[in-house]
């Protein structure tokens, strides 16, 4: 597939890949593991102090992470804590939360005041020199989702013309050049989870989560 089509697909999926450092202590990590790492922000962004654990919904009641479609903004903030920024009247953004064990920025979208979408931008605090590490992270995230949701309904790699290769080192180079795109999609009874990795304003894994109509 032509490089132009690959980049257009990436633009549709990934809006921005910013970076910000975060201090993770051993105590934070232990607490993170204890509560299950399903969308919990272990620090208050306003004070940088630990906040009390928020109630974790039973997994069978969640549409994704620790969330249900139709939650209010207040409910979402109760999961993540303070420190979000308002992008527009329908969207809030958190920087540096933990999603499935990965450092991520997160955006939550609301329709008529009810949660209707989420997008995560998974990236390290500092860009990897070895671009194959992004592929390793993408595969690790895919394994988590596959164990939880079953095999993906879409599983593909798109290359720029003449760039096809199975060699992960070469794929890493293509990723740094913007000549490759990875895409996987999972579906549950209520939710679509779409993971895409490509280069746009830096490298990151974009996970877009939407309700199934």
């Amino acid at each position: 597939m032509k490089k132009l089509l690959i980049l257009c697909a990436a633009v549709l999926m990934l809006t921005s890949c910013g970076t910000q450092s975060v201090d993770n202590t051993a105590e934070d990590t232990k607490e993170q593991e204890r509560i299950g790492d399903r969308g919990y922000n272990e620090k208050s962004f306003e004070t940088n102090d630990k906040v009390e654990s928020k109630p974790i919904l039973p997994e069978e009641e969640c549409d994704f992470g620790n969330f249900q479609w139709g939650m209010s903004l207040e409910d979402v903030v109760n999961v993540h804590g303070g420190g979000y920024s308002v992008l527009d009247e329908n969207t809030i953004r958190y920087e540096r939360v933990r999603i499935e064990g990965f450092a991520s920025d997160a955006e939550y979208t609301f329709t008529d005041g009810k949660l209707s979408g989420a997008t995560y931008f998974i990236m390290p605090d500092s860009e990897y020199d070895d671009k194959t590490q992004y592929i390793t992270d993408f595969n690790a995230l895919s394994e988590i989702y596959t164990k939880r949701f079953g095999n993906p309904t879409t599983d593909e790699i798109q290359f720029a013309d003449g760039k096809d290769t199975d060699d992960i080192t070469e794929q890493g180079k293509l990723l740094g050049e913007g000549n490759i795109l990875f895409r996987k999609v999972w579906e549950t009874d209520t939710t679509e989870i779409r993971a895409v990795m490509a280069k746009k304003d830096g490298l990151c894994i974009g996970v877009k989560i939407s309700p199934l109509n």
Side-chain angles (χ1 to χ4, degrees), residues 7-18 87-88 91-94 105-109 118-123 196 198-208:
L7 294 179
C8 286
V11 168
L12 289 174
M13 173 60 219
L14 307 175
T15 59
S16 65
C17 298
L87 298 187
D88 56 46
T91 308
I92 63 173
R93 181 180 178 94
Y94 285 92
D105 293 349
E107 292 180 5
Y108 296 95
T109 302
T119 305
Y120 300 104
F121 305 96
I122 296 172
M123 68 206 108
V196 173
K199 182 178 182 180
K200 182 190 177 293
D201 299 332
L203 279 169
C204 69
I205 301 169
V207 180
K208 186 175 180 62

Side-chain angles (χ1 to χ4, degrees), residues 11 19 65 92 102 107 149 168 193 202-203:
V11 168
T19 59
I92 63 173
F102 296 92
E107 292 180 5
F149 305 122
I168 188 171
I193 302 97
L203 279 169

Side-chain angles (χ1 to χ4, degrees), residues 67-199:
F67 301 97
Q68 295 173 325
W69 298 123
M71 272 184 165
S72 66
L73 187 150
E74 182 180 0
D75 290 333
V76 172
V77 171
N78 188 54
V79 173
H80 270 317
Y84 62 86
S85 58
V86 178
L87 298 187
D88 56 46
E89 61 182 2
N90 297 314
T91 308
I92 63 173
R93 181 180 178 94
Y94 285 92
E95 295 185 353
R96 304 288 83 184
V97 295
R98 304 292 298 184
I99 302 299
E100 305 298 348
F102 296 92
S104 172
D105 293 349
E107 292 180 5
Y108 296 95
T109 302
F110 301 83
T111 301
D112 296 327
K114 296 181 179 180
L115 181 63
S116 58
T119 305
Y120 300 104
F121 305 96
I122 296 172
M123 68 206 108
D125 294 323
S126 299
E127 186 172 336
Y128 294 133
D129 292 329
D130 180 0
K131 299 302 185 271
T132 62
Q133 185 60 48
Y134 290 97
I135 300 174
T136 299
D137 285 354
F138 186 82
N139 290 337
L141 179 67
S142 298
E143 184 176 351
I144 290 171
Y145 283 152
T146 297
K147 286 181 178 179
R148 187 176 302 156
F149 305 122
N151 291 328
T153 57
T154 298
D155 185 352
E156 61 184 358
I157 302 175
Q158 296 180 3
F159 298 87
D161 280 347
K163 300 292 186 178
D164 297 46
T165 178
D166 292 327
D167 185 270
I168 188 171
T169 301
E170 291 302 314
Q171 289 181 355
K173 292 179 181 178
L174 293 175
L175 189 60
E177 298 165 355
N179 287 324
I180 191 172
L181 180 146
F182 298 79
R183 180 189 291 113
K184 293 189 180 186
V185 180
W186 294 263
E187 290 185 359
T188 71
D189 292 340
T190 64
T191 304
E192 179 186 82
I193 302 97
R194 180 177 295 268
V196 173
M197 181 170 64
K199 182 178 182 180

Side-chain angles (χ1 to χ4, degrees), residues 22-33 42-43 48-50 98:
V22 63
D23 177 23
N24 290 321
T25 65
E27 183 180 1
D28 292 331
T29 302
K30 182 178 180 180
E31 176 71 4
Q32 179 75 44
E33 294 172 349
E42 69 270 17
K43 286 178 179 282
N48 205 36
D49 293 329
K50 287 187 60 179
R98 304 292 298 184

